[in-house]
Amino acid sequence: MDESGRLSMEPEIPIESFKIFATGLDHPECLAFDRQGFLWAGGEAGQIYRIDPEGKLTTVANLGAFCGGLAFSLLDVLFVCCPALGVVKVDGSGEVSVFATHAGEHKMICPNYGVFDSAGNYYVTDSGNWRKNNGYLLRFTPDGKGRVIGGPFGYANGLALSVDENFLFMVESNTNRVLRFELKPDGLAGEPEVYAEECGRFPDGLTLDAEGNLYVSCYASDDIHRITPMREKTLFAWDPFAILLGSPTNMAFGGPDFDVLYVANLARTTITRVPMGRQGQLLANQRVKTKLRPRPSPI
């Protein structure tokens, strides 16, 4: 490990492989694809952008406050983590409504990132406050009822759900670690295990490819790490100039063959992308059209 917290090795792919896909965004934190292949992103001042396959921006809505994690439900409705408002829903016409400010009696401090399973359950992190170890993992059932299922953690952040939906991965940014939870039939999460350590500086976002490789984007070290299913960790990409990877926060797979990785750069005004040579793991809203059998909700 070198002084910057990166693995002491050459990146798997050169930074020149990344290209700018869209520009003119207000410091995007997160991004997510809808079923039609449009990319959505949030802005620092509350903008909700829809981006066509050519990279053209349309501002669909404005929440008036910083937008964190984006995720699409099974009905392809956009859920946005907005720390100032809670979790907010945005439909295709731009209509905005608050989905939740609490999970049961727990009032969210900093809702950060969410992911849906194939039964419509919504897992979301409440980061808490930096260095206060008051972050939590929450779960909302399709009827909107929420509960705390894990914590406290040190700044709970990005999430990724295994393809069989038996395990949930979560970034703990305070400790530069990725944790993994077994999801129980009663809807609770098992005890966290450390899946990977020393994941750059301030790991933020997670995504999985179809082969089970986990990608970790790091806000403070301008790099992306890859963790294989055997838990071997490599430096996937790094930008020493923080231009094409400038405080990368979240990632999503897309493209006609679903083999292009798109990255939000919070320190810049761009979304960049890179061809991967392997397909990403389909998310719940994207799997609906493939008619996979959904996992029943235990509640």
Side-chain angles (χ1 to χ4, degrees):
M1 189 69 61
D2 66 17
E3 292 179 357
S4 68
R6 294 187 311 276
L7 293 172
S8 299
M9 61 180 67
E10 287 296 313
E12 290 186 43
I13 60 172
I15 192 59
E16 292 79 14
S17 300
F18 286 79
K19 305 297 179 185
I20 293 175
F21 167 65
T23 190
L25 295 90
D26 184 8
H27 303 285
E29 157 83 7
C30 192
L31 64 176
F33 277 96
D34 65 20
R35 277 204 289 270
Q36 288 69 46
F38 285 83
L39 183 62
W40 294 64
E44 186 174 27
Q47 304 95 328
I48 299 295
Y49 302 104
R50 182 175 59 205
I51 310 167
D52 72 16
E54 303 302 318
K56 181 181 178 181
L57 304 178
T58 300
T59 302
V60 176
N62 195 311
L63 308 186
F66 181 82
C67 297
L70 276 63
F72 280 97
S73 72
L74 299 188
L75 299 177
D76 228 26
V77 175
L78 184 66
F79 282 60
V80 182
C81 290
C82 180
L85 301 175
V87 176
V88 176
K89 293 196 297 184
V90 182
D91 68 17
S93 68
E95 183 177 346
V96 174
S97 61
V98 175
F99 169 73
T101 59
H102 293 68
E105 296 183 356
H106 173 78
K107 178 175 174 54
M108 289 181 275
I109 297 172
C110 183
N112 193 315
Y113 189 86
V115 64
F116 281 90
D117 69 16
S118 59
N121 300 300
Y122 178 58
Y123 298 88
V124 61
T125 51
D126 177 6
S127 294
N129 304 111
W130 179 248
R131 296 292 189 186
K132 297 296 185 183
N133 292 316
N134 59 346
Y136 289 90
L137 178 61
L138 317 175
R139 178 180 181 269
F140 291 87
T141 50
D143 59 6
K145 294 180 180 178
R147 63 194 294 190
V148 174
I149 63 168
F153 303 112
Y155 211 78
N157 210 323
L159 296 172
L161 189 62
S162 66
V163 67
D164 59 11
E165 301 190 350
N166 290 325
F167 294 95
L168 186 68
F169 301 90
M170 187 194 83
V171 169
E172 188 179 50
S173 295
N174 273 9
T175 58
N176 296 329
R177 302 189 300 182
V178 175
L179 306 179
R180 189 177 77 160
F181 307 84
E182 183 179 3
L183 298 177
K184 303 294 187 179
D186 61 1
L188 295 176
E191 287 297 314
E193 62 168 323
V194 177
Y195 190 75
E197 295 185 282
E198 297 183 336
C199 297
R201 291 187 292 114
F202 201 113
D204 193 305
L206 298 175
T207 195
L208 284 157
D209 67 25
E211 300 169 18
N213 294 293
L214 183 69
Y215 298 84
V216 187
S217 51
C218 299
Y219 166 81
S221 47
D222 302 312
D223 53 19
I224 299 172
H225 298 261
R226 182 170 71 94
I227 304 165
T228 72
M230 301 303 294
R231 305 196 191 191
E232 298 170 342
K233 183 176 58 177
T234 59
L235 178 61
F236 178 71
W238 170 54
D239 188 346
F241 304 107
I243 294 174
L244 295 170
L245 292 176
S247 296
T249 41
N250 283 279
M251 304 163 288
F253 276 92
D257 298 316
F258 210 63
D259 60 354
V260 178
L261 185 67
Y262 293 73
V263 184
N265 296 289
L266 184 58
R268 303 193 68 82
T269 60
T270 58
I271 293 171
T272 51
R273 64 181 177 180
V274 63
M276 295 289 287
R278 56 169 63 95
Q279 291 187 321
Q281 178 182 299
L282 292 170
L283 301 184
N285 69 305
Q286 297 160 333
R287 295 200 301 266
V288 168
K289 63 182 179 182
T290 67
K291 298 182 180 179
L292 293 181
R293 183 178 179 182
R295 180 188 185 193
S297 174
I299 295 178

